[in-house]
Structure formats: C-alpha cells, structure tokens
Amino acid sequence: GVPLQGWQAYGPWAYSETDVDSEYFLDDKVKVLVANSEKGLDIRDAINRLREELRSPGVSVRIVGLSGVGKTRLVQALFDKRILTATAELSLQEVIYTDLSHNPTPQPIAMLEALKVAGSAGVVVIDNCGQDIHQQLTEVVKRTGSKLRLVTVEYDIRDDLPEGTSCYQLEGAADEIIAKLLKRRYVSLSDID
C-alpha cells in the first residue's frame, strides 16, 4: 500500500549494463583489499567470501573503490549462478536494490525498518551510499530479530566504519578486461583500436 520509487529487484544495476546475462569478466589481476589482509583477494575469492558472509542475517558489508572500477557490477556477480565458487550464488528472489542518487521512495532507512517489522529476509543493496547513512542502516540490520543483510556501495574510502561492518575495497581492472568491455559495448572497434 506504500508507493515505491527507485527500488528494483535483481537486474542490470551497473552503469551502462542493459542485460543481466552479460558476462562478468573475472580478472585474476584485480585485487580486493580487505581488513587483516596485506596482499588482498583475487576477484573470485572475494566473490566467494562475500557470498559466504551474506548468508548470515544481520551482516553489514561495504564495497568501496574509485568511480568506474566495477563495484556495482561486483555486487551483481554475487547473484550470478555462472560464476562458480565454493559458496553458491545468492538468491535472486531475496534482493532489493536502490541507488540513492535516484531519490528512492521510501528512503532506505524507512525501507529497512518496514522490511524488518515484516520479518523479511534478504539482501538490501544501497548504491552511492554515504558513510552516515551506512551507519544508520547498519544499526537497523544489527538489531535483534533482523533477518536482513546489507550491502552498501560507495566511492568513499575511509577507515572509520561502524562496528560489525566488513569492508571490501575494489581496485581497477587490468588492461585486458578493459579491452574486453570495450569490444562488448562497441562492436565496431577493431583490435587495433
């Protein structure tokens, strides 16, 4: 009975994505930095770890990195059954997504509160989510009885995360992956181009 604007089920959330069936290019050279790890994880290990972590209710995860490195596309990959890891993909039926730059209605805090009261389980993904809003959302997800899991995505790379938040910092892609993306999006380009 409440109007929803800017909230979506699983779909091509990432910038310039138009098809959920687009291949996710696994780049062995990309590293995902996590707490207590000096060398970082490769992308497949990061996907596995995120999938495993997001199976438990009350989990708060933050994915950060510079603009355009593929943070939102990484989140989409968590639900992609074609990407095989030790931990199976997350359920497409248990995710809801919004981008704060699209001014969603209701606002994320109200959405999480409503989902918690309804006893809903699932992953809530908030893109372009600042640190302050992430903190508030984490508090809702961490409350007793919550079955929700939170993923926020942002370019802001800071160390002062709320207690109980896992942070994954995504680095840029290798030249080979960038070339593959260009070929997929601009078929008229030759290898020389």
Side-chain angles (χ1 to χ4, degrees), residues 153-172:
V153 180
E154 175 67 326
Y155 66 87
D156 188 20
I157 303 170
R158 289 197 281 180
D159 293 328
D160 57 337
L161 291 170
E163 189 174 321
T165 294
S166 298
C167 185
Y168 293 76
Q169 182 179 339
L170 186 61
E171 293 185 336

mmCIF file with all atom_site columns, all heavy atoms in Angstrom, residues 153-172:
data_model
loop_
_atom_site.group_PDB
_atom_site.id
_atom_site.type_symbol
_atom_site.label_atom_id
_atom_site.label_alt_id
_atom_site.label_comp_id
_atom_site.label_asym_id
_atom_site.label_entity_id
_atom_site.label_seq_id
_atom_site.pdbx_PDB_ins_code
_atom_site.Cartn_x
_atom_site.Cartn_y
_atom_site.Cartn_z
_atom_site.occupancy
_atom_site.B_iso_or_equiv
_atom_site.pdbx_formal_charge
_atom_site.auth_seq_id
_atom_site.auth_comp_id
_atom_site.auth_asym_id
_atom_site.auth_atom_id
_atom_site.pdbx_PDB_model_num
ATOM 1   N N   . VAL A 1 153 ? 27.389 0.484   -1.340  1.00 0.00 ? 153 VAL A N   1
ATOM 2   C CA  . VAL A 1 153 ? 28.419 0.707   -2.352  1.00 0.00 ? 153 VAL A CA  1
ATOM 3   C C   . VAL A 1 153 ? 28.699 2.194   -2.395  1.00 0.00 ? 153 VAL A C   1
ATOM 4   O O   . VAL A 1 153 ? 27.775 3.005   -2.429  1.00 0.00 ? 153 VAL A O   1
ATOM 5   C CB  . VAL A 1 153 ? 27.924 0.220   -3.736  1.00 0.00 ? 153 VAL A CB  1
ATOM 6   C CG1 . VAL A 1 153 ? 28.986 0.454   -4.795  1.00 0.00 ? 153 VAL A CG1 1
ATOM 7   C CG2 . VAL A 1 153 ? 27.526 -1.248  -3.689  1.00 0.00 ? 153 VAL A CG2 1
ATOM 8   N N   . GLU A 1 154 ? 29.999 2.556   -2.413  1.00 0.00 ? 154 GLU A N   1
ATOM 9   C CA  . GLU A 1 154 ? 30.352 3.974   -2.419  1.00 0.00 ? 154 GLU A CA  1
ATOM 10  C C   . GLU A 1 154 ? 31.805 4.138   -2.852  1.00 0.00 ? 154 GLU A C   1
ATOM 11  O O   . GLU A 1 154 ? 32.616 3.239   -2.673  1.00 0.00 ? 154 GLU A O   1
ATOM 12  C CB  . GLU A 1 154 ? 30.141 4.552   -1.004  1.00 0.00 ? 154 GLU A CB  1
ATOM 13  C CG  . GLU A 1 154 ? 30.559 5.978   -0.797  1.00 0.00 ? 154 GLU A CG  1
ATOM 14  C CD  . GLU A 1 154 ? 29.733 7.020   -1.553  1.00 0.00 ? 154 GLU A CD  1
ATOM 15  O OE1 . GLU A 1 154 ? 29.270 6.754   -2.662  1.00 0.00 ? 154 GLU A OE1 1
ATOM 16  O OE2 . GLU A 1 154 ? 29.598 8.127   -1.036  1.00 0.00 ? 154 GLU A OE2 1
ATOM 17  N N   . TYR A 1 155 ? 32.118 5.292   -3.426  1.00 0.00 ? 155 TYR A N   1
ATOM 18  C CA  . TYR A 1 155 ? 33.491 5.595   -3.821  1.00 0.00 ? 155 TYR A CA  1
ATOM 19  C C   . TYR A 1 155 ? 34.345 6.008   -2.621  1.00 0.00 ? 155 TYR A C   1
ATOM 20  O O   . TYR A 1 155 ? 35.559 5.961   -2.669  1.00 0.00 ? 155 TYR A O   1
ATOM 21  C CB  . TYR A 1 155 ? 33.522 6.704   -4.882  1.00 0.00 ? 155 TYR A CB  1
ATOM 22  C CG  . TYR A 1 155 ? 33.049 8.036   -4.355  1.00 0.00 ? 155 TYR A CG  1
ATOM 23  C CD1 . TYR A 1 155 ? 33.922 8.912   -3.729  1.00 0.00 ? 155 TYR A CD1 1
ATOM 24  C CD2 . TYR A 1 155 ? 31.713 8.405   -4.452  1.00 0.00 ? 155 TYR A CD2 1
ATOM 25  C CE1 . TYR A 1 155 ? 33.492 10.115  -3.216  1.00 0.00 ? 155 TYR A CE1 1
ATOM 26  C CE2 . TYR A 1 155 ? 31.263 9.608   -3.950  1.00 0.00 ? 155 TYR A CE2 1
ATOM 27  C CZ  . TYR A 1 155 ? 32.164 10.461  -3.340  1.00 0.00 ? 155 TYR A CZ  1
ATOM 28  O OH  . TYR A 1 155 ? 31.722 11.649  -2.821  1.00 0.00 ? 155 TYR A OH  1
ATOM 29  N N   . ASP A 1 156 ? 33.708 6.428   -1.547  1.00 0.00 ? 156 ASP A N   1
ATOM 30  C CA  . ASP A 1 156 ? 34.403 6.950   -0.362  1.00 0.00 ? 156 ASP A CA  1
ATOM 31  C C   . ASP A 1 156 ? 35.217 5.848   0.305   1.00 0.00 ? 156 ASP A C   1
ATOM 32  O O   . ASP A 1 156 ? 34.689 4.824   0.696   1.00 0.00 ? 156 ASP A O   1
ATOM 33  C CB  . ASP A 1 156 ? 33.375 7.504   0.621   1.00 0.00 ? 156 ASP A CB  1
ATOM 34  C CG  . ASP A 1 156 ? 34.028 8.233   1.780   1.00 0.00 ? 156 ASP A CG  1
ATOM 35  O OD1 . ASP A 1 156 ? 35.197 8.639   1.642   1.00 0.00 ? 156 ASP A OD1 1
ATOM 36  O OD2 . ASP A 1 156 ? 33.370 8.389   2.807   1.00 0.00 ? 156 ASP A OD2 1
ATOM 37  N N   . ILE A 1 157 ? 36.514 6.067   0.436   1.00 0.00 ? 157 ILE A N   1
ATOM 38  C CA  . ILE A 1 157 ? 37.398 5.072   1.031   1.00 0.00 ? 157 ILE A CA  1
ATOM 39  C C   . ILE A 1 157 ? 37.904 5.631   2.359   1.00 0.00 ? 157 ILE A C   1
ATOM 40  O O   . ILE A 1 157 ? 38.839 6.422   2.411   1.00 0.00 ? 157 ILE A O   1
ATOM 41  C CB  . ILE A 1 157 ? 38.579 4.744   0.089   1.00 0.00 ? 157 ILE A CB  1
ATOM 42  C CG1 . ILE A 1 157 ? 38.051 4.271   -1.255  1.00 0.00 ? 157 ILE A CG1 1
ATOM 43  C CG2 . ILE A 1 157 ? 39.502 3.726   0.701   1.00 0.00 ? 157 ILE A CG2 1
ATOM 44  C CD1 . ILE A 1 157 ? 39.092 4.155   -2.330  1.00 0.00 ? 157 ILE A CD1 1
ATOM 45  N N   . ARG A 1 158 ? 37.248 5.227   3.443   1.00 0.00 ? 158 ARG A N   1
ATOM 46  C CA  . ARG A 1 158 ? 37.646 5.665   4.779   1.00 0.00 ? 158 ARG A CA  1
ATOM 47  C C   . ARG A 1 158 ? 37.753 4.459   5.693   1.00 0.00 ? 158 ARG A C   1
ATOM 48  O O   . ARG A 1 158 ? 37.143 3.424   5.450   1.00 0.00 ? 158 ARG A O   1
ATOM 49  C CB  . ARG A 1 158 ? 36.611 6.633   5.359   1.00 0.00 ? 158 ARG A CB  1
ATOM 50  C CG  . ARG A 1 158 ? 36.612 7.980   4.683   1.00 0.00 ? 158 ARG A CG  1
ATOM 51  C CD  . ARG A 1 158 ? 35.909 8.989   5.527   1.00 0.00 ? 158 ARG A CD  1
ATOM 52  N NE  . ARG A 1 158 ? 34.454 8.840   5.383   1.00 0.00 ? 158 ARG A NE  1
ATOM 53  C CZ  . ARG A 1 158 ? 33.586 9.603   6.017   1.00 0.00 ? 158 ARG A CZ  1
ATOM 54  N NH1 . ARG A 1 158 ? 33.980 10.527  6.836   1.00 0.00 ? 158 ARG A NH1 1
ATOM 55  N NH2 . ARG A 1 158 ? 32.297 9.421   5.833   1.00 0.00 ? 158 ARG A NH2 1
ATOM 56  N N   . ASP A 1 159 ? 38.501 4.613   6.751   1.00 0.00 ? 159 ASP A N   1
ATOM 57  C CA  . ASP A 1 159 ? 38.714 3.505   7.681   1.00 0.00 ? 159 ASP A CA  1
ATOM 58  C C   . ASP A 1 159 ? 37.740 3.498   8.851   1.00 0.00 ? 159 ASP A C   1
ATOM 59  O O   . ASP A 1 159 ? 37.673 2.531   9.587   1.00 0.00 ? 159 ASP A O   1
ATOM 60  C CB  . ASP A 1 159 ? 40.140 3.543   8.228   1.00 0.00 ? 159 ASP A CB  1
ATOM 61  C CG  . ASP A 1 159 ? 41.170 3.265   7.156   1.00 0.00 ? 159 ASP A CG  1
ATOM 62  O OD1 . ASP A 1 159 ? 40.852 2.495   6.228   1.00 0.00 ? 159 ASP A OD1 1
ATOM 63  O OD2 . ASP A 1 159 ? 42.277 3.819   7.251   1.00 0.00 ? 159 ASP A OD2 1
ATOM 64  N N   . ASP A 1 160 ? 36.974 4.568   9.061   1.00 0.00 ? 160 ASP A N   1
ATOM 65  C CA  . ASP A 1 160 ? 36.122 4.664   10.243  1.00 0.00 ? 160 ASP A CA  1
ATOM 66  C C   . ASP A 1 160 ? 34.747 4.049   9.992   1.00 0.00 ? 160 ASP A C   1
ATOM 67  O O   . ASP A 1 160 ? 33.739 4.722   9.945   1.00 0.00 ? 160 ASP A O   1
ATOM 68  C CB  . ASP A 1 160 ? 36.006 6.122   10.695  1.00 0.00 ? 160 ASP A CB  1
ATOM 69  C CG  . ASP A 1 160 ? 35.480 7.035   9.595   1.00 0.00 ? 160 ASP A CG  1
ATOM 70  O OD1 . ASP A 1 160 ? 35.610 6.679   8.406   1.00 0.00 ? 160 ASP A OD1 1
ATOM 71  O OD2 . ASP A 1 160 ? 34.946 8.098   9.940   1.00 0.00 ? 160 ASP A OD2 1
ATOM 72  N N   . LEU A 1 161 ? 34.719 2.736   9.848   1.00 0.00 ? 161 LEU A N   1
ATOM 73  C CA  . LEU A 1 161 ? 33.468 2.024   9.614   1.00 0.00 ? 161 LEU A CA  1
ATOM 74  C C   . LEU A 1 161 ? 32.792 1.677   10.923  1.00 0.00 ? 161 LEU A C   1
ATOM 75  O O   . LEU A 1 161 ? 33.456 1.493   11.941  1.00 0.00 ? 161 LEU A O   1
ATOM 76  C CB  . LEU A 1 161 ? 33.747 0.730   8.836   1.00 0.00 ? 161 LEU A CB  1
ATOM 77  C CG  . LEU A 1 161 ? 34.191 0.919   7.392   1.00 0.00 ? 161 LEU A CG  1
ATOM 78  C CD1 . LEU A 1 161 ? 34.661 -0.395  6.824   1.00 0.00 ? 161 LEU A CD1 1
ATOM 79  C CD2 . LEU A 1 161 ? 33.058 1.473   6.565   1.00 0.00 ? 161 LEU A CD2 1
ATOM 80  N N   . PRO A 1 162 ? 31.459 1.541   10.908  1.00 0.00 ? 162 PRO A N   1
ATOM 81  C CA  . PRO A 1 162 ? 30.777 1.129   12.128  1.00 0.00 ? 162 PRO A CA  1
ATOM 82  C C   . PRO A 1 162 ? 31.190 -0.283  12.523  1.00 0.00 ? 162 PRO A C   1
ATOM 83  O O   . PRO A 1 162 ? 31.558 -1.090  11.673  1.00 0.00 ? 162 PRO A O   1
ATOM 84  C CB  . PRO A 1 162 ? 29.298 1.178   11.758  1.00 0.00 ? 162 PRO A CB  1
ATOM 85  C CG  . PRO A 1 162 ? 29.208 1.416   10.318  1.00 0.00 ? 162 PRO A CG  1
ATOM 86  C CD  . PRO A 1 162 ? 30.551 1.805   9.813   1.00 0.00 ? 162 PRO A CD  1
ATOM 87  N N   . GLU A 1 163 ? 31.127 -0.543  13.795  1.00 0.00 ? 163 GLU A N   1
ATOM 88  C CA  . GLU A 1 163 ? 31.470 -1.870  14.290  1.00 0.00 ? 163 GLU A CA  1
ATOM 89  C C   . GLU A 1 163 ? 30.582 -2.913  13.622  1.00 0.00 ? 163 GLU A C   1
ATOM 90  O O   . GLU A 1 163 ? 29.387 -2.711  13.447  1.00 0.00 ? 163 GLU A O   1
ATOM 91  C CB  . GLU A 1 163 ? 31.262 -1.911  15.808  1.00 0.00 ? 163 GLU A CB  1
ATOM 92  C CG  . GLU A 1 163 ? 31.796 -3.165  16.442  1.00 0.00 ? 163 GLU A CG  1
ATOM 93  C CD  . GLU A 1 163 ? 31.705 -3.104  17.952  1.00 0.00 ? 163 GLU A CD  1
ATOM 94  O OE1 . GLU A 1 163 ? 31.955 -2.025  18.522  1.00 0.00 ? 163 GLU A OE1 1
ATOM 95  O OE2 . GLU A 1 163 ? 31.381 -4.141  18.543  1.00 0.00 ? 163 GLU A OE2 1
ATOM 96  N N   . GLY A 1 164 ? 31.189 -4.007  13.230  1.00 0.00 ? 164 GLY A N   1
ATOM 97  C CA  . GLY A 1 164 ? 30.428 -5.085  12.609  1.00 0.00 ? 164 GLY A CA  1
ATOM 98  C C   . GLY A 1 164 ? 30.250 -4.945  11.114  1.00 0.00 ? 164 GLY A C   1
ATOM 99  O O   . GLY A 1 164 ? 29.501 -5.691  10.504  1.00 0.00 ? 164 GLY A O   1
ATOM 100 N N   . THR A 1 165 ? 30.932 -3.981  10.488  1.00 0.00 ? 165 THR A N   1
ATOM 101 C CA  . THR A 1 165 ? 30.866 -3.815  9.034   1.00 0.00 ? 165 THR A CA  1
ATOM 102 C C   . THR A 1 165 ? 32.121 -4.388  8.415   1.00 0.00 ? 165 THR A C   1
ATOM 103 O O   . THR A 1 165 ? 33.223 -4.091  8.853   1.00 0.00 ? 165 THR A O   1
ATOM 104 C CB  . THR A 1 165 ? 30.755 -2.323  8.649   1.00 0.00 ? 165 THR A CB  1
ATOM 105 O OG1 . THR A 1 165 ? 29.514 -1.820  9.100   1.00 0.00 ? 165 THR A OG1 1
ATOM 106 C CG2 . THR A 1 165 ? 30.857 -2.133  7.149   1.00 0.00 ? 165 THR A CG2 1
ATOM 107 N N   . SER A 1 166 ? 31.948 -5.219  7.393   1.00 0.00 ? 166 SER A N   1
ATOM 108 C CA  . SER A 1 166 ? 33.082 -5.713  6.613   1.00 0.00 ? 166 SER A CA  1
ATOM 109 C C   . SER A 1 166 ? 33.264 -4.784  5.431   1.00 0.00 ? 166 SER A C   1
ATOM 110 O O   . SER A 1 166 ? 32.292 -4.408  4.780   1.00 0.00 ? 166 SER A O   1
ATOM 111 C CB  . SER A 1 166 ? 32.806 -7.119  6.089   1.00 0.00 ? 166 SER A CB  1
ATOM 112 O OG  . SER A 1 166 ? 32.626 -8.008  7.151   1.00 0.00 ? 166 SER A OG  1
ATOM 113 N N   . CYS A 1 167 ? 34.500 -4.420  5.148   1.00 0.00 ? 167 CYS A N   1
ATOM 114 C CA  . CYS A 1 167 ? 34.767 -3.519  4.038   1.00 0.00 ? 167 CYS A CA  1
ATOM 115 C C   . CYS A 1 167 ? 35.620 -4.228  2.990   1.00 0.00 ? 167 CYS A C   1
ATOM 116 O O   . CYS A 1 167 ? 36.603 -4.892  3.315   1.00 0.00 ? 167 CYS A O   1
ATOM 117 C CB  . CYS A 1 167 ? 35.480 -2.267  4.530   1.00 0.00 ? 167 CYS A CB  1
ATOM 118 S SG  . CYS A 1 167 ? 35.706 -1.035  3.229   1.00 0.00 ? 167 CYS A SG  1
ATOM 119 N N   . TYR A 1 168 ? 35.216 -4.068  1.734   1.00 0.00 ? 168 TYR A N   1
ATOM 120 C CA  . TYR A 1 168 ? 35.939 -4.611  0.590   1.00 0.00 ? 168 TYR A CA  1
ATOM 121 C C   . TYR A 1 168 ? 36.273 -3.441  -0.327  1.00 0.00 ? 168 TYR A C   1
ATOM 122 O O   . TYR A 1 168 ? 35.369 -2.745  -0.786  1.00 0.00 ? 168 TYR A O   1
ATOM 123 C CB  . TYR A 1 168 ? 35.072 -5.617  -0.168  1.00 0.00 ? 168 TYR A CB  1
ATOM 124 C CG  . TYR A 1 168 ? 34.773 -6.869  0.608   1.00 0.00 ? 168 TYR A CG  1
ATOM 125 C CD1 . TYR A 1 168 ? 33.826 -6.872  1.626   1.00 0.00 ? 168 TYR A CD1 1
ATOM 126 C CD2 . TYR A 1 168 ? 35.441 -8.053  0.323   1.00 0.00 ? 168 TYR A CD2 1
ATOM 127 C CE1 . TYR A 1 168 ? 33.552 -8.025  2.347   1.00 0.00 ? 168 TYR A CE1 1
ATOM 128 C CE2 . TYR A 1 168 ? 35.167 -9.215  1.039   1.00 0.00 ? 168 TYR A CE2 1
ATOM 129 C CZ  . TYR A 1 168 ? 34.221 -9.188  2.041   1.00 0.00 ? 168 TYR A CZ  1
ATOM 130 O OH  . TYR A 1 168 ? 33.955 -10.339 2.749   1.00 0.00 ? 168 TYR A OH  1
ATOM 131 N N   . GLN A 1 169 ? 37.572 -3.217  -0.568  1.00 0.00 ? 169 GLN A N   1
ATOM 132 C CA  . GLN A 1 169 ? 37.997 -2.124  -1.438  1.00 0.00 ? 169 GLN A CA  1
ATOM 133 C C   . GLN A 1 169 ? 38.449 -2.699  -2.773  1.00 0.00 ? 169 GLN A C   1
ATOM 134 O O   . GLN A 1 169 ? 39.426 -3.429  -2.854  1.00 0.00 ? 169 GLN A O   1
ATOM 135 C CB  . GLN A 1 169 ? 39.131 -1.331  -0.800  1.00 0.00 ? 169 GLN A CB  1
ATOM 136 C CG  . GLN A 1 169 ? 39.576 -0.162  -1.646  1.00 0.00 ? 169 GLN A CG  1
ATOM 137 C CD  . GLN A 1 169 ? 40.682 0.632   -0.991  1.00 0.00 ? 169 GLN A CD  1
ATOM 138 O OE1 . GLN A 1 169 ? 40.876 0.567   0.218   1.00 0.00 ? 169 GLN A OE1 1
ATOM 139 N NE2 . GLN A 1 169 ? 41.417 1.383   -1.786  1.00 0.00 ? 169 GLN A NE2 1
ATOM 140 N N   . LEU A 1 170 ? 37.725 -2.338  -3.827  1.00 0.00 ? 170 LEU A N   1
ATOM 141 C CA  . LEU A 1 170 ? 37.978 -2.864  -5.160  1.00 0.00 ? 170 LEU A CA  1
ATOM 142 C C   . LEU A 1 170 ? 38.959 -1.971  -5.896  1.00 0.00 ? 170 LEU A C   1
ATOM 143 O O   . LEU A 1 170 ? 38.796 -0.752  -5.946  1.00 0.00 ? 170 LEU A O   1
ATOM 144 C CB  . LEU A 1 170 ? 36.653 -2.948  -5.925  1.00 0.00 ? 170 LEU A CB  1
ATOM 145 C CG  . LEU A 1 170 ? 36.652 -3.590  -7.292  1.00 0.00 ? 170 LEU A CG  1
ATOM 146 C CD1 . LEU A 1 170 ? 37.103 -5.051  -7.202  1.00 0.00 ? 170 LEU A CD1 1
ATOM 147 C CD2 . LEU A 1 170 ? 35.254 -3.519  -7.890  1.00 0.00 ? 170 LEU A CD2 1
ATOM 148 N N   . GLU A 1 171 ? 39.995 -2.602  -6.473  1.00 0.00 ? 171 GLU A N   1
ATOM 149 C CA  . GLU A 1 171 ? 40.962 -1.872  -7.288  1.00 0.00 ? 171 GLU A CA  1
ATOM 150 C C   . GLU A 1 171 ? 40.524 -1.901  -8.743  1.00 0.00 ? 171 GLU A C   1
ATOM 151 O O   . GLU A 1 171 ? 39.601 -2.628  -9.112  1.00 0.00 ? 171 GLU A O   1
ATOM 152 C CB  . GLU A 1 171 ? 42.349 -2.498  -7.129  1.00 0.00 ? 171 GLU A CB  1
ATOM 153 C CG  . GLU A 1 171 ? 42.918 -2.323  -5.738  1.00 0.00 ? 171 GLU A CG  1
ATOM 154 C CD  . GLU A 1 171 ? 44.341 -2.839  -5.628  1.00 0.00 ? 171 GLU A CD  1
ATOM 155 O OE1 . GLU A 1 171 ? 44.734 -3.704  -6.434  1.00 0.00 ? 171 GLU A OE1 1
ATOM 156 O OE2 . GLU A 1 171 ? 45.042 -2.371  -4.731  1.00 0.00 ? 171 GLU A OE2 1
ATOM 157 N N   . GLY A 1 172 ? 41.201 -1.152  -9.593  1.00 0.00 ? 172 GLY A N   1
ATOM 158 C CA  . GLY A 1 172 ? 40.870 -1.069  -11.012 1.00 0.00 ? 172 GLY A CA  1
ATOM 159 C C   . GLY A 1 172 ? 41.177 -2.336  -11.784 1.00 0.00 ? 172 GLY A C   1
ATOM 160 O O   . GLY A 1 172 ? 41.976 -3.169  -11.366 1.00 0.00 ? 172 GLY A O   1
#
